[in-house]
Every structure is written in structure tokens, then in C-alpha cells.
Amino acid sequence: MPSYSRVTLVLLALGFAALALFPLVGETFYIRFFTKIMIYALFAMSLDLLVGYAGLVSLGHAAFFGVATYTVAGFIDKLGIADGFLILPAALAVAAICAAVIGWISIRTTGVYFIMITLALAQMLYYFFNDQLYWGGTDGMNISAKPLLALGGFTLVDLSNRVQFYYTALACLVTAFVMLSVLLRSPFGHALVGIRANEGRMRSLGYDVQRYKLVAFVVAGALAGLAGFLESSRATFATPAYLGWHESGHALMIVILGGMGTLYGPILGAFVLLLMEDYFATLTERWLLIEGLFVMAVALLMPEGLAGLPRRIAALRRRAPENGDG
Amino acid sequence: MSYFLIQTLNGVQYGFLLFLVASGLTLIFGIMGVINLAHGAFYMVGAYLAWWLAEKTGSLFLAVLMALPVTVLLGLVIERFGIRYLYKRDHLYQVLFTYGLILVLNEAQRVLFGNDVHGVPAPAWLAGTIRLSEAQTYPVYRLFISVTCVGVAAALYLLIQRTRLGMVIRAGATHRDMVAALGFDIARLFMIVFGLGAALAAFAGMIAAPANTVYPGMGDQILILSFVVVVIGGIGSIKGAFAGAMLVGVADTFGRVLLPQGAGVTVYAVMALVLLWRPQGLFGRTA
């Protein structure tokens, strides 16, 4: 139910505009890197729909991201079909179907149960790809080509061109952001937030609570699939690690660092976390040590994330003079 | 036939180990309401300490004796300076905090002990095998693991059901405020429970070290399987953890033998089936 303040809207517009202008001035390395960041921002944003709005803390979200990467690999290298207009809907559909099945089982439960079950079921998909030699086992698969986005012989978007890929990722990110914002302003979004606030009341008001949760879970899964489609096209490989629970944990870090329940928070979080990881990695080989400590500090000290910082600072300011008077 | 027997023994032994890890997890959740992702990392810490100290001292028993207090202390410190501030917060923050803890502990292990896989020799008097048939034998050490786990499980049962501390722990799980009002120090109680849970997981890692190997990231797999155990058994139920652990141990072992291509999937399929039948787990109370 995001109704953004005017300041937030202006900042958002400026942020997206800056991203749109970046390839004109940015170095090649950073154009590639920002593309990756935007893909992870999209992935994290889809998780924010669950964590920040529906109150469903999923620790298995990477499964849907990962099955989409394998769908791309399967089409291109198993079936020999490179038509992006076939692969993209297929990747979304596979992710959505997996989300429907996993969601159907796990939304019967709440709280810690839900966390554990989403983790376990995602891990089941992880092992499915990890154990099957057909899918390349632990090494995963190299994808020999990028999906072709062409109509009647005319290439609409050339994904092997890094600038075009950058704008494709940006377009997907903005579209997803607008779409989710609209969705959350609709009666559906209000019902979802209502369920998180008081499930019992929504049920007694006659809402089919389980169905709302399942729809949210499937939408989030399909969007994660879109991110997976982009990621496998970018990296040209698919590995079980994409489905693994460290990927899910990483996405959760992005969501909370940026500020959950805001949709734009995950974009902020993705940029900050991935740039920071990149910087830590230049400092020491043991950068995960720093990242771990950082995440623990965020969990303890910054529950509202970066997006919540202005509000916290404002609250502190407001309190300060009162204390002085008293 | 004896082949079947060996696999069953292996499954049960694995189940006992899982039970030690999962009972700590379910205890910490049931009593403190905290979800601890770093529980598997304690298992890893235990295994590495056992390997390192056994190599230094030449005795696994000495190593376990020295490592146990270290892991209890680790648990107490983590509770005191981290987990304590998250009791009243959403599970989400507990997940994030303990996930960060995993990254730190895994990376610390790599810094201190490197990336190599290590074997730990079983103590000489347990190194033999038992002959089951003409061609098949069973290692004594694996039997020893099962027996030890039964001992620990019995001690845990007695501690919780028969001692004053156990009584307070049980009361604290359901009536936290009342126990505090009666003058018990809840904060200290929770610290003890967390230390106990950490020690259980670490102890499992220590005694499993000679039967398996010691390797980086070994805590992850045991953590996720413990989750499956807890989900199957019902959260907060020690009895459920035991049933779940046996089911998972046996299912995993037979899955590996009968369906090598689908080995990893078997356990999760069992979990999904149990959940469809009983969403609250075998011994769970309905929420």
C-alpha cells in the first residue's frame, strides 16, 4: 500500500533518471556491474512483496530465481531453442508453477514454520539440480548463447550488447516497480497488508486469506523468475548455487538493509550491499567476515533499513528539544 | 539381509546425530522463541575443535573434554551480546542476525583452519569392526555414536523432566512472565538454554567427526536437515525431534542407496508428505 511522499517520489524519479543516464558516462566495468545490481534489486524487490507486505518471511525465494536460470539453459542448450519470446514466458511460467506448488504447501503454516518449510522445499529443488548429471550436477551448465529477442528477422534487443542489456534490466526493474506499486494500491494490496496486520480479523471479514497469500507468493515467484531469466542471460550459466539458501539469505539481506515494505528499499539495498561487497573484496580475501558482522549490526541496530533512516533521524531531532526543555 | 541391516543401523545412527542437533534447535525455539540459523555452525565448530585438539593432544576424549566448555562459552557470549536483544523482535531479524553469524563463523573457520578436508581417527579401542556376516562388517565407532547419543538423550530427558532447572525451563517456555514474577532470572535461564543448545550441536559435531570428515561449510547441510526434523516432529517438541530425526536419518540413508540420482530430494519429499497430512508436525500443537 505504498503512498509515497512527494519528496520520495522526486528522489525516486531522480534515481531512475540517473540510472538511465549512467551508460553515457560510466565505465564498461560499472555498466556491467550495475546491470547485475539491477537484476539483484529486481529479485530482492519481489521478495519484499512477501516479506514487507504479505508478512511471509520466505527463506527459499532463490528457488524461483534458480529454476528460471535452468529454464533458459534448458531451452538453449538442451532443446536448441534460442527464441527469447518463447524462453521468457517459459521461465516465468516455470518459476510461477514452482511458487504455486511450494506456496500451496507452505502457506498453511505461519511464523517460524513458514521460514523453515520454504527453506526446506527450496533446498529440495536445489538438490534436484545438484544431483542430476543431466543438468550438469554441482558444476551447473554453461549457456552457449543469449536469448534472441527478434521479431521477423529484426533484432529488437541485442542482449550481447552490454548497453542494450543494461537498459533491458533497467526497464524490467522500473516496470516491476510500477506494477507492484499499482498492485499494492489496489484492493488486493490493501487486503494483503490487512492480513499481515490482523489475519483473524480479515478472515472474519470474509476474505479468503490463504488465496491472497498464495497469489502474492506466485506473483513474487514469477518476478524472481524474471530476475533469473536476466541473470542467466547476463552470466550465461546456470548453477545450483542460484537456487541455494545462501542466495535466499543474500536477497533477504538486501531487502532489510534497504528497508522492507517500501519496494524502492531493495533497490537501494542492492546498490549499497553489492558495491560494498565489491569494495570489501578488494580489501581482503576474507570479506565475508566483514559482511557477516555488518549484517549482524544491521539486524540489531537498523531494523528499518536505509529507507527508514530519514524518519529515524527526524524522530531524533524532534525529541531532542523536548529533552532540553524537560 | 545383513546389507539391509547395515543400512538400517547407519540410518538410525545418523538419526541419533540429527536428534542431538535438532533437539537443541527445537529447545531454543520452544523456550526462547528464537529461530537460530547458526545452530549448524555450532556443529561445525564442535567438529573442527575436536579435530584440532585431537591432533594436538592425541586423544579424542581429551579433545571433547576441552572443546565442550569452549562451545558452551561461545553460545553464552553470542546470547549475551546478540540474541538477547532480538527476543521481542520479529523472527525476520533473528534470521538475519544468525545468518550473519553463519557467515562470520564459516569464514573464521577458514581463517583459522584452512579449506582442507580432514579425517579424525577414532580412538584405538573403538576402531575395530563387528562381523555381521561372511562379507560384511560394521564399525564399532558408529555403534558407539548411537550409544552415546542415547545416553545424552536420556540425560536431557532427566534434566528437563526431573530437575528443578528443567522444571523452570518448562515453565518458562509457556509462562514466561509468571516465572519471572516468581523471582526467577529469565535472562539467565535463556542464556543457559542457549548455551545448552549450542553445546548439544557442538557435541554432535565432535563425536561425528571420526565417522564422517571435517570440512568447510559442513554446518549448512546439518542445519537444513535439522529444520526438516523439527518441522516433521513439531516445533518445540523434543519427542517430535526424536521421531523426526529417526525418520529423516533412515529416509536419507535409504534414499542414498536406492535412488542415488534423487538422494538429496528424498528427505524433503518425506517432509512435504508429513506436512500435507499434519501441517503442525507429528507432535506439534495446533497454532
Side-chain angles (χ1 to χ4, degrees), chain B residues 217-241:
Chain B
M218 62 188 290
D220 284 8
Q221 201 191 0
I222 201 97
L223 170 79
I224 295 168
L225 279 181
S226 306
F227 273 6
V228 173
V229 165
V230 170
V231 164
I232 289 179
I235 293 176
S237 161
I238 300 261
K239 219 189 307 173

Side-chain angles (χ1 to χ4, degrees), chain A residues 268-284:
Chain A
L268 210 59
F271 271 92
V272 172
L273 191 69
L274 268 70
L275 283 169
M276 220 168 61
E277 284 172 354
D278 188 56
Y279 175 66
F280 287 163
T282 61
L283 292 181
T284 163

Side-chain angles (χ1 to χ4, degrees), chain A residues 12-13 52 59-60 69 85 100 115 124 130 134 142 163 188 206 222-223 242 246 273 295 322:
Chain A
L12 270 173
L59 201 48
T69 66
F85 289 112
I115 298 173
M124 176 166 139
N130 191 59
Y134 178 81
N142 275 311
V163 175
F188 172 83
L223 272 180
Y242 277 140
H246 280 286
L273 191 69
V295 169
E322 281 170 28

Side-chain angles (χ1 to χ4, degrees), chain B:
Chain B
M1 193 56 215
S2 63
Y3 175 73
F4 182 78
L5 178 69
I6 285 179
Q7 295 308 336
T8 310
L9 281 173
N10 278 339
V12 169
Q13 178 253 310
Y14 193 36
F16 273 124
L17 267 185
L18 279 174
F19 169 69
L20 284 197
V21 182
S23 59
L25 196 67
T26 207
L27 209 61
I28 288 172
F29 180 74
I31 291 162
M32 300 159 57
V34 167
I35 173 165
N36 178 22
L37 294 187
H39 204 67
F42 293 145
Y43 177 85
M44 186 251 328
V45 169
Y48 266 92
L49 282 178
W51 159 74
W52 186 62
L53 289 169
E55 203 144 84
K56 295 280 168 207
T57 63
S59 154
L60 183 67
F61 283 95
L62 218 54
V64 169
L65 231 51
M66 288 161 75
L68 260 184
V70 177
T71 55
V72 173
L73 193 69
L74 181 72
L76 293 181
V77 168
I78 289 169
E79 196 281 341
R80 179 63 189 78
F81 295 103
I83 307 282
R84 174 166 296 188
Y85 302 101
L86 298 170
Y87 290 136
K88 297 215 168 100
R89 299 261 288 275
D90 194 285
H91 292 311
L92 183 61
Y93 299 101
Q94 301 163 358
V95 166
L96 194 69
F97 181 85
T98 52
Y99 182 76
L101 194 56
I102 292 180
L103 295 183
V104 171
L105 289 175
N106 276 349
E107 215 46 34
Q109 170 266 307
R110 286 198 165 91
V111 172
L112 293 173
F113 302 116
N115 281 326
D116 298 331
V117 174
H118 299 284
V120 180
W125 61 280
L126 289 170
T129 53
I130 299 167
R131 181 167 286 259
L132 290 176
S133 70
E134 287 298 306
Q136 276 154 329
T137 58
Y138 193 74
V140 176
Y141 190 78
R142 281 183 181 269
L143 221 53
F144 168 76
I145 292 181
S146 296
V147 174
T148 310
C149 289
V150 173
V152 174
L156 190 65
Y157 177 82
L158 289 178
L159 174 75
I160 291 186
Q161 298 294 334
R162 293 275 189 272
T163 67
R164 191 177 162 79
L165 175 68
M167 197 172 71
V168 179
I169 288 178
R170 273 181 293 140
T174 47
H175 300 84
R176 193 178 300 182
D177 295 336
M178 182 55 88
V179 172
L182 286 172
F184 290 96
D185 187 347
I186 284 283
R188 224 183 67 198
L189 189 70
F190 281 7
M191 240 172 118
I192 293 172
V193 171
F194 199 81
L196 179 69
L200 278 172
F203 182 69
M206 291 173 207
I207 60 166
N212 309 331
T213 47
V214 175
Y215 57 93
M218 62 188 290
D220 284 8
Q221 201 191 0
I222 201 97
L223 170 79
I224 295 168
L225 279 181
S226 306
F227 273 6
V228 173
V229 165
V230 170
V231 164
I232 289 179
I235 293 176
S237 161
I238 300 261
K239 219 189 307 173
F242 185 78
M246 284 304 145
L247 198 59
V248 170
V250 172
D252 191 59
T253 305
F254 277 96
R256 267 170 220 294
V257 179
L258 302 175
L259 298 162
Q261 286 268 306
V265 179
T266 333
V267 172
Y268 303 99
V270 170
M271 181 195 78
L273 283 180
V274 171
L275 280 180
L276 289 178
W277 171 46
R278 275 181 77 88
Q280 74 277 30
L282 293 176
F283 291 89
R285 276 160 298 184
T286 19

